[in-house]
Amino acid sequence: MLRLYSLLAACFCAAASPAAPEVTWQQLSPGLALGEYRPTVKSDIGDSKITILRINPRQYSFRLLESVRYKGKARTAAQWCQQEKLLACINAGMYQPDGRSVGYMRDHQSINNASLGNDNSILVFNPADSLRPAIKLIDRSCETDWAQQLRAYHSASQSIRMVDCQGRNTWAAQPKRWSSAVWAMDQDGNALMIFCRSPYSMHDYVDILLQSPLKISQAMYLEGGPEASLSIRSGQTVRNLFGSYETGFVENDNSQAAFPLPNVIGIVKK
């Protein structure tokens, strides 16, 4: 009788528990999928929707575009996509008032910022030889050969580590919150462009991403607040997403126009 009661109780609990949210995927083309995820932890502003572009690096190439090489003219993410014929683009990282990157950034012979800051994540792509992964997030805290790896890639952008190489949340808890653009890699080797307009504290947001079905292995912060942007132009699918809320800067969800961005990472079909 006790065993029967336990089984019935377990069945009742399973039936009463809400199903975990899933990612809704739309296949845009082979190796490219657009996902939407609505976490159980809601922001009190906006719809809490997280948009993900999943990219198979074997089928798409990555480009680092900088305004310093385009007569210093920043563009919105949508304008970068349209003018450079990109399928999608996202912030390349935080930037200084003159448009140069806050962290280390280079693309082939173009040196945007030659100084390596303290941040532990460096996104590298366009390898010098075909034996290396097409794109990788280097974690300076756990990869002793990170400098050698950095030299083996033509393109690099440094920013704040969100998830380390052990899959752990590295962002300290704090009350400030904002819209966000994030780069991540999943356990299958796909690259993920991730955008959320609704504001979260980044510590809580990392937990949300790690608990999602996205199978995130590493993640790097790109930008927050109204500057955070993701633009997608693939076939008939067009998305031009940009942030709004940022504690101490724009404390509302009223932004109606995208910020011009000096540096973006875009993708094109191989």
Side-chain angles (χ1 to χ4, degrees):
M1 179 64 71
L2 180 60
R3 182 182 178 187
L4 177 60
Y5 174 81
S6 298
L7 288 172
L8 289 172
C11 291
F12 175 78
C13 290
S17 300
E22 294 293 327
V23 181
T24 302
W25 291 105
Q26 174 191 355
Q27 201 70 29
L28 302 181
S29 61
L32 190 66
L34 176 62
E36 291 187 350
Y37 178 66
R38 296 180 186 271
T40 54
V41 179
K42 305 296 184 185
S43 173
D44 62 344
I45 295 175
D47 59 11
S48 303
K49 182 173 65 178
I50 299 172
T51 301
I52 311 103
L53 186 67
R54 186 176 64 196
I55 309 147
N56 185 333
R58 293 185 294 274
Q59 295 171 274
Y60 295 86
S61 297
F62 301 86
R63 296 182 60 194
L64 177 58
L65 299 164
E66 313 153 272
S67 62
V68 292
R69 290 188 287 163
Y70 291 82
K71 300 180 181 179
K73 183 179 179 182
R75 299 164 170 84
T76 66
Q79 289 170 338
W80 278 113
C81 281
Q82 184 175 14
Q83 294 175 22
E84 299 302 319
K85 296 179 172 55
L86 306 173
L87 294 172
C89 74
I90 196 168
N91 307 73
M94 296 178 290
Y95 54 90
Q96 304 176 62
D98 65 357
R100 293 187 178 272
S101 175
V102 169
Y104 177 82
M105 182 180 285
R106 66 169 164 79
D107 186 55
H108 295 268
Q109 302 306 311
S110 174
I111 308 298
N112 185 294
N113 183 349
S115 300
L116 275 164
N118 294 325
D119 293 325
N120 282 316
S121 279
I122 307 175
L123 180 67
V124 292
F125 45 100
N126 296 327
D129 65 75
S130 60
L131 298 178
R132 293 183 180 273
I135 188 164
K136 186 180 189 297
L137 264 177
I138 296 174
D139 189 328
R140 296 169 69 197
S141 72
C142 66
E143 298 182 66
T144 56
D145 65 340
W146 67 265
Q148 179 183 350
Q149 291 189 61
L150 180 59
R151 290 192 295 270
Y153 285 83
H154 293 303
S155 305
S157 180
Q158 180 188 25
S159 193
I160 302 171
R161 181 182 59 176
M162 303 179 81
V163 176
D164 66 16
C165 54
Q166 302 300 319
R168 298 172 298 198
N169 185 346
T170 60
W171 202 293
Q174 62 175 358
K176 293 182 179 180
R177 55 189 185 143
W178 49 77
S179 310
S180 61
V182 170
W183 194 283
M185 302 297 296
D186 72 16
Q187 295 168 15
D188 298 321
N190 295 305
L192 307 176
M193 295 180 176
I194 305 175
F195 172 86
C196 184
R197 179 168 170 122
S198 293
Y200 287 94
S201 77
M202 287 300 98
H203 175 83
D204 293 348
Y205 187 59
V206 173
D207 279 347
I208 288 171
L209 293 177
L210 288 176
Q211 292 162 15
S212 76
L214 293 172
K215 301 192 297 183
I216 287 175
S217 58
Q218 290 176 272
M220 183 178 85
Y221 178 78
L222 296 176
E223 187 57 275
E227 295 97 335
S229 301
L230 171 62
S231 184
I232 301 166
R233 299 172 64 89
S234 177
Q236 300 300 310
T237 301
V238 177
R239 299 282 191 279
N240 293 315
L241 308 175
F242 49 89
S244 184
Y245 192 101
E246 181 178 348
T247 299
F249 182 35
V250 179
E251 296 191 349
N252 60 60
D253 192 38
N254 300 331
S255 293
Q256 298 296 316
F259 264 57
L261 307 176
N263 311 305
V264 298
I265 299 170
I267 61 167
V268 294
K269 183 77 174 175
K270 282 188 177 180

